Amino acid sequence: MLDDMIHYLKDIRHRPVWSEIPESAKYHLKQEIPQHGQSLENVYSEFKEHILPYTKGNIHPRFWAWVQGTGIPTAMLADMLASAMNPNVTIGEHAPMYADIQVVNWCKELMHFPPSASGLLVSGASMANLTALIVARNKKLKNVRQQGLHQYAAQPVMYCSTESHSCIQKAAEIIGIGAENIRRIKVKSDYKIDIVALHIQIEADLSAGYEPFCIVANIGTVNTGAIDSLDDLIKIARQFDLWLHADGAFGALAILVPEYFDQLSSLSEVDSVAFDLHKWMYMPYEAGCVLIKDADAHRESFAITPNYLSHHSKGLAAGPESYNNYGIELSRGFKALKIWMCIKEQGIVRFGKMIEQNILQARYLEKVVIENEYLEILAPVSLNIVCYRFVVPGMSNDSLNSINKNICMELQTQGIASPSSTILHNIYAIRVAITNHRSKLEDFKVLVDATIRLGLNLIQNRNN
Ligand SMILES: *Cc1c(COP(=O)(O)O)cnc(C)c1O
């Protein structure tokens, strides 16, 4: 299996990015639960026949859909080691606990958070954002753990932009704030939050008797990669005594690129940040991280010590404080090992170089699009996301939307490349989000050529 997978990774470029799943494979995955076992060889050949060839494709050099990571081979090996050891990294005196703490401390260094901050590795940025917003709520709105939110005469409200990720809404719903109490502030033409509009909205809410408690900054919006102005948000958060949380799912790691350092160095000033290691740190799923500046507030949001989790001075129940006191989950896998091994093997400088390479690829694609008469750029390229479409003069927006949707689907079904899509101001955009350490410049040339070829074909078929 190990040999097969290493060859599989080596040859990934020569396979289609994606292949439709045949009915036979789907049928194979709809069987009743086996009552009796069979040989591992049989099971493995079923895997090779029906699962492996029909994977999502995000490890392929021409996969740029949504925001997905690629995975480093060393991490695959680390996952095998972690799975063999299979420690539950929540509590106790054992080396995996210290490896996990080490990785969290490195994450603090990456984000320029002080050593006194706290943090937690979680499944991904959705969970990291939720964890941070629970702490924000509990810190700013008193006694919520004891008495819930209904003691509040004033409705708590929080702020983000119209471009914020859907997981922020989910988090607001889960923590009892409610979707209607998220103020989605409009963005400017660069897709960054409109600071003046935010200011006006907070003042209006205060005079209407609401209880503002939190602002969520976007460090790389999912649609276009826009980075909200952190310095302005820090000022407003201080002025109104609000918690400032940064959703930096992929964008926060651009702090490793010298050109972005000035823009992102004030991440050290926010109250909390969420980011993913399975996106722009190229780790295999799953790995996200939340950092909280005020470690006491973090602990006070989650700490519960039942009798069966009590700490001892010696033996297995000694050791670092239980992670149970810092998050929702009790049982936790050893996801820290893959991060620990890859950071040690590669070094942070190289991660910064890979991230920078993806940003330069986005700019290259932007340039090619701008210079081509059949292509149009649809949003400023501020980081690693390019939104573009195929255009010909004289066609209605509706027709162009339909053609571009078909181009996107054909690129995928023909296994050429996997961009995804979004809608910007009613315009269907082919969206390329580059968090892929296997992409080369020539891969973007393939994408551009195929977009134009498919677009022209679609027009010709329409006219026939
Ligand atoms: C991907 C993403 C999330 C959600 O992260 P998961 O790891 O998928 O849970 C949140 N915010 C932004 C901006 C993202 O790109």
Side-chain angles (χ1 to χ4, degrees):
M1 288 178 190
L2 197 51
D3 284 346
D4 283 355
M5 284 304 109
I6 285 168
H7 284 119
Y8 178 79
L9 290 177
K10 196 162 149 271
D11 298 337
I12 186 73
R13 173 172 285 283
H14 307 297
R15 278 189 291 273
V17 184
W18 181 79
S19 311
E20 245 167 296
I21 315 175
E23 283 310 312
S24 58
K26 283 190 188 167
Y27 172 79
H28 235 89
L29 297 172
K30 280 191 206 154
Q31 306 293 311
E32 280 175 15
I33 190 166
Q35 299 294 335
H36 303 287
Q38 53 181 309
S39 73
L40 178 56
E41 283 78 6
N42 277 354
V43 179
Y44 181 53
S45 38
E46 263 195 71
F47 161 80
K48 281 201 288 192
E49 190 177 351
H50 300 299
I51 297 180
L52 182 61
Y54 311 113
T55 184
K56 192 173 192 180
N58 48 292
I59 67 172
H60 192 283
R62 285 191 299 280
F63 188 101
W64 308 296
W66 306 293
V67 185
Q68 314 256 295
T70 34
I72 299 175
T74 298
M76 168 184 86
L77 302 174
D79 268 346
M80 184 185 74
L81 307 180
S83 189
M85 292 169 74
N86 195 30
N88 185 337
V89 189
T90 300
I91 189 171
E93 174 72 354
H94 52 106
M97 284 290 283
Y98 291 94
D100 193 303
I101 292 168
Q102 169 78 94
V103 168
V104 171
N105 283 333
W106 286 346
C107 288
K108 292 180 206 167
E109 273 188 59
L110 290 180
M111 295 299 144
H112 296 259
F113 263 48
S116 61
S118 54
L120 186 70
L121 297 176
V122 290
S123 54
S126 301
M127 191 55 123
N129 281 312
L130 172 60
T131 305
L133 290 176
I134 290 170
V135 182
R137 179 197 65 180
N138 293 7
K139 174 78 183 180
K140 292 294 178 187
L141 312 171
K142 306 294 173 201
N143 280 326
V144 174
R145 276 190 83 179
Q146 292 72 27
Q147 291 164 2
L149 275 175
H150 49 81
Q151 53 166 324
Y152 265 82
Q155 294 243 22
V157 289
M158 55 185 269
Y159 302 83
C160 64
S161 87
T162 51
E163 292 295 299
S164 293
H165 193 274
S166 58
C167 74
I168 300 300
Q169 175 175 336
K170 268 196 204 171
E173 292 166 3
I174 294 167
I175 66 175
I177 301 302
E180 286 176 13
N181 295 313
I182 305 173
R183 304 288 188 247
R184 294 175 175 280
I185 308 300
K186 69 182 164 79
V187 292
K188 316 242 305 202
S189 60
D190 55 7
Y191 292 93
K192 297 179 185 193
I193 192 167
D194 183 330
I195 296 291
V196 175
L198 171 65
H199 204 277
I200 292 171
Q201 183 67 49
I202 295 174
E203 289 196 318
D205 285 332
L206 283 170
S207 39
Y210 288 99
E211 173 99 16
F213 76 100
C214 176
I215 303 173
V216 177
N218 300 306
I219 308 300
T221 58
V222 63
N223 269 334
T224 71
I227 300 173
D228 289 340
S229 165
L230 263 180
D231 291 335
D232 289 326
L233 292 177
I234 289 164
K235 262 186 232 141
I236 294 191
R238 292 212 176 119
Q239 180 185 348
F240 293 102
D241 189 26
L242 308 180
W243 186 281
L244 180 58
H245 170 67
D247 176 6
F250 59 97
L253 283 158
I255 198 169
L256 296 181
V257 179
E259 193 188 326
Y260 285 79
F261 183 74
D262 281 349
Q263 214 183 134
L264 295 178
S265 62
S266 35
L267 269 175
S268 63
E269 308 287 316
V270 304
D271 293 299
S272 53
V273 60
F275 65 101
D276 269 323
L277 296 122
H278 60 213
K279 285 177 177 168
W280 233 354
M281 280 280 279
Y282 316 104
M283 289 298 132
Y285 291 99
E286 302 157 346
C289 180
V290 59
L291 299 177
I292 312 268
K293 186 72 65 57
D294 180 344
D296 291 338
H298 189 181
R299 189 179 190 285
E300 279 157 22
S301 279
F302 293 103
I304 291 185
T305 309
N307 296 340
Y308 43 85
L309 295 179
S310 69
H311 191 265
H312 289 30
S313 61
K314 258 181 27 188
L316 181 58
E321 191 180 1
S322 169
Y323 273 126
N324 179 50
N325 287 341
Y326 292 90
I328 300 164
E329 296 163 312
L330 180 58
S331 292
R332 299 171 68 248
F334 194 11
K335 55 170 81 71
L337 184 64
K338 62 191 171 195
I339 307 166
W340 184 83
M341 284 184 77
C342 289
I343 290 181
K344 282 187 91 77
E345 185 199 22
Q346 304 291 332
I348 282 302
V349 171
R350 186 176 282 169
F351 280 103
K353 289 228 153 68
M354 289 311 304
I355 293 168
E356 183 173 39
Q357 174 168 300
N358 287 156
I359 294 170
L360 295 176
Q361 288 166 338
R363 291 184 193 161
Y364 167 78
L365 177 59
E366 177 192 34
K367 181 165 171 286
V368 172
V369 165
I370 287 172
E371 284 171 359
N372 195 298
E373 56 174 327
Y374 290 114
L375 301 175
E376 179 182 30
I377 203 88
L378 296 174
V381 176
S382 45
L383 201 58
N384 60 332
I385 298 183
V386 183
C387 291
Y388 74 96
R389 69 170 171 178
F390 171 81
V391 277
V392 281
M395 281 193 99
S396 72
N397 190 47
D398 283 351
S399 310
L400 284 173
N401 282 356
S402 142
I403 283 182
N404 279 282
K405 191 178 206 170
N406 279 303
I407 292 174
C408 186
M409 291 189 289
E410 285 301 316
L411 285 166
Q412 295 169 356
T413 49
Q414 294 186 25
I416 301 168
S418 284
S420 60
S421 67
T422 192
I423 309 279
L424 300 171
H425 301 298
N426 258 335
I427 294 176
Y428 182 96
I430 299 174
R431 179 179 159 288
V432 175
I434 313 166
T435 48
N436 190 326
H437 71 284
R438 296 192 178 92
S439 301
K440 297 182 177 170
L441 278 191
E442 69 219 39
D443 291 310
F444 300 95
K445 192 87 178 66
V446 171
L447 171 74
V448 163
D449 291 347
T451 302
I452 296 168
R453 180 167 43 79
L454 291 166
L456 291 174
N457 277 349
L458 283 162
I459 288 182
Q460 206 163 34
N461 293 345
R462 249 168 191 263
N463 295 344
N464 285 345

